[in-house]
Amino acid sequence: MLKPLVILAAEEGEAPNPLIPAVYDIVWSAVCFVVILFIFWRVVLPRMKKLLDERSTAIEGNIAKADEAQRKAEAALQEYTAALADARKEAGEIRDAAREDGKKIVAEAKDSAASEASRITASAHSQIEAERQAALVSLRGEVGTLALDLAGGVIGETLSDDAKAQAVVDRFLADLEAEKAAK
């Protein structure tokens, strides 16, 4: 059986090259390729181009929106920074004004307290001087009466002449004050 096949193969002649296809295969393959290429070129490629263009414009639009949002955010940040700086400056001015007002209030309170203290001191001095004078007058009268009674007891008579008695008492007290001043 093998022999007839070998003979048949030898009769056909030369064997075709397995790497090179037959002509009818090349033609039909080329026709199919052209049909598929035409469909791809007319239908698929325009749709793909349209889809890619839409995506490109959407991406560019999103980039533009993002850039605009970035600019707005930077402007808002600068505005916020400026407002914050102004607020800090104003707070510093208010704080300085409050310190100055506090210093003025303290100075006024000190001045008021000092003037009140000097007024109270002057009032106290004048009151003390008035009480001293009143005590001195009262003491002179009492010392004079006691001295007259004592002198009357020593002499054994009453000294009833008030003017004379008063002159003696005044002279005695003046002598006492002169001795006190001399010391």
Side-chain angles (χ1 to χ4, degrees):
M1 215 164 176
L2 204 54
K3 204 175 196 187
L5 283 175
V6 173
I7 295 176
L8 185 63
E11 288 177 0
E12 279 197 23
E14 218 176 286
N17 188 353
L19 294 178
I20 299 177
V23 174
Y24 66 90
D25 280 340
I26 292 176
V27 171
W28 281 112
S29 295
V31 169
C32 289
F33 179 74
V34 169
V35 168
I36 292 173
L37 182 65
F38 179 76
I39 292 172
F40 189 81
W41 192 269
R42 294 298 259 171
V43 176
V44 175
L45 201 57
R47 286 184 184 174
M48 186 66 84
K49 185 175 180 183
K50 181 181 174 186
L51 180 68
L52 289 176
D53 288 342
E54 288 174 359
R55 287 189 81 188
S56 174
T57 56
I59 289 171
E60 288 174 1
N62 289 340
I63 288 173
K65 288 178 185 176
D67 288 342
E68 182 65 27
Q70 180 75 22
R71 281 192 298 275
K72 285 181 181 178
E74 288 174 0
L77 179 63
Q78 288 175 350
E79 206 173 285
Y80 170 75
T81 304
L84 185 62
D86 289 344
R88 284 183 179 161
K89 181 181 176 185
E90 185 177 337
E93 290 171 357
I94 291 171
R95 189 173 43 247
D96 291 341
R99 282 186 186 140
E100 290 299 320
D101 290 344
K103 287 178 182 178
K104 287 178 184 176
I105 290 171
V106 168
E108 289 173 3
K110 283 182 181 179
D111 291 344
S112 174
S115 66
E116 185 68 20
S118 65
R119 185 189 62 78
I120 290 172
T121 304
S123 173
H125 282 302
S126 65
Q127 188 177 10
I128 290 171
E129 185 61 31
E131 287 177 5
R132 187 176 151 273
Q133 289 297 327
L136 189 60
V137 168
S138 172
L139 191 61
R140 277 189 176 190
E142 287 181 27
V143 168
T145 305
L146 286 174
L148 288 177
D149 287 343
L150 186 62
V154 171
I155 297 176
E157 341 181 328
T158 44
L159 301 171
S160 59
D161 186 15
D162 283 339
K164 195 177 197 184
Q166 188 64 34
V168 169
V169 169
D170 286 338
R171 191 181 63 222
F172 175 71
L173 288 174
D175 289 342
L176 279 178
E177 286 179 4
E179 282 181 26
K180 185 177 179 183
K183 287 183 181 180

